[in-house]
Amino acid sequence: MPEELVTESLVLRKARDEDLEAIWHNVWRDRALAETMLWKPTRTRRQAAERLERTKRYQAENLAWFVCLRSSGEPIGFAGLREIGEGEYEESGICIARRFQQKGYGRQVLEALVDLVFNRLNGHLFRYGCFRENEASKALALSCGFVYIHSETLVREWDGHEYLCDFYQLTEKQ
């Protein structure tokens, strides 16, 4: 399990104690960002500190990282994968803080995950899901060669919000 992935502008690495303020301010407390994601916004610094501890434990055991700027090390998002079958992977969340969007960072993250799945984990399928109304996420998937496969109505656990999730996939043959 790689500890970090490096792109042109980013480092995907495991969370650290010193990331607390930046990840909370950039991502976790942003209610608008959370609207098209599955995570619940974090309101207080104490909740953020507890969340960071949970995140560190989760990342230690899983293919999950903070997305950080190479230039400063500042965490501006997170990304992860999970194995859903033999050689089959699914993104378990890709999030870039709103003020860092439209800079090509999402594409760098997704391309790094694609490389990891097919070239380092020897996977043969990569599945990607996003809220139907998340046009930027949909465009990202399509621009990286993913193909729409189906949609499902799902319910976000923390608030009971029902949403339509579009799923895309990429296979080693594409």
Side-chain angles (χ1 to χ4, degrees):
M1 180 171 13
E3 284 295 307
E4 69 178 32
L5 304 171
V6 179
T7 75
E8 178 184 344
S9 308
L10 305 169
V11 175
L12 281 67
R13 62 158 173 80
K14 301 300 183 177
R16 302 174 183 157
D17 290 340
E18 59 269 23
D19 295 331
L20 177 60
E21 294 299 325
I23 197 69
W24 181 43
H25 288 283
N26 287 337
V27 179
W28 289 345
R29 72 179 190 172
D30 188 336
R31 187 166 199 79
L33 185 61
E35 286 299 314
T36 56
M37 301 294 290
L38 297 179
W39 48 271
K40 181 179 182 179
T42 305
R43 297 176 194 261
T44 68
R45 189 180 188 290
R46 180 177 173 188
Q47 289 172 337
E50 291 166 358
R51 185 173 183 172
L52 182 62
E53 290 307 311
R54 289 190 309 272
T55 297
K56 289 185 334 189
R57 287 192 301 273
Y58 178 81
Q59 288 182 354
E61 302 295 323
N62 293 278
L63 295 167
W65 307 269
F66 275 174
V67 174
C68 304
L69 296 174
R70 276 182 73 176
S71 60
S72 65
E74 178 183 5
I76 62 166
F78 57 84
L81 295 171
R82 65 177 154 253
E83 192 168 13
I84 57 173
E86 184 70 32
E88 298 179 355
Y89 293 85
E90 172 177 78
E91 55 81 23
S92 59
I94 297 173
C95 180
I96 302 293
R98 284 189 299 151
R99 71 185 180 104
F100 294 99
Q101 293 176 4
Q102 305 292 316
K103 299 179 186 304
Y105 296 150
R107 183 176 192 84
Q108 287 183 47
V109 169
L110 188 53
E111 287 176 348
L113 296 179
V114 166
D115 179 68
L116 176 62
V117 166
F118 294 113
N119 297 322
R120 295 169 71 184
L121 299 174
N122 298 313
H124 60 87
L125 181 133
F126 186 175
R127 192 167 85 166
Y128 179 99
C130 64
F131 280 56
R132 162 79 44 96
E133 62 269 19
N134 191 338
E135 291 295 329
S137 189
K138 173 183 168 179
L140 174 62
L142 293 172
S143 75
C144 288
F146 285 76
V147 176
Y148 172 82
I149 53 172
H150 73 278
S151 299
E152 291 179 32
T153 300
L154 301 172
V155 176
R156 186 167 48 202
E157 288 182 24
W158 69 270
D159 66 353
H161 172 70
E162 190 174 280
Y163 65 98
L164 194 58
C165 186
D166 291 337
F167 289 95
Y168 301 83
Q169 75 178 18
L170 186 64
T171 64
E172 60 187 339
K173 293 182 171 79
Q174 290 174 320

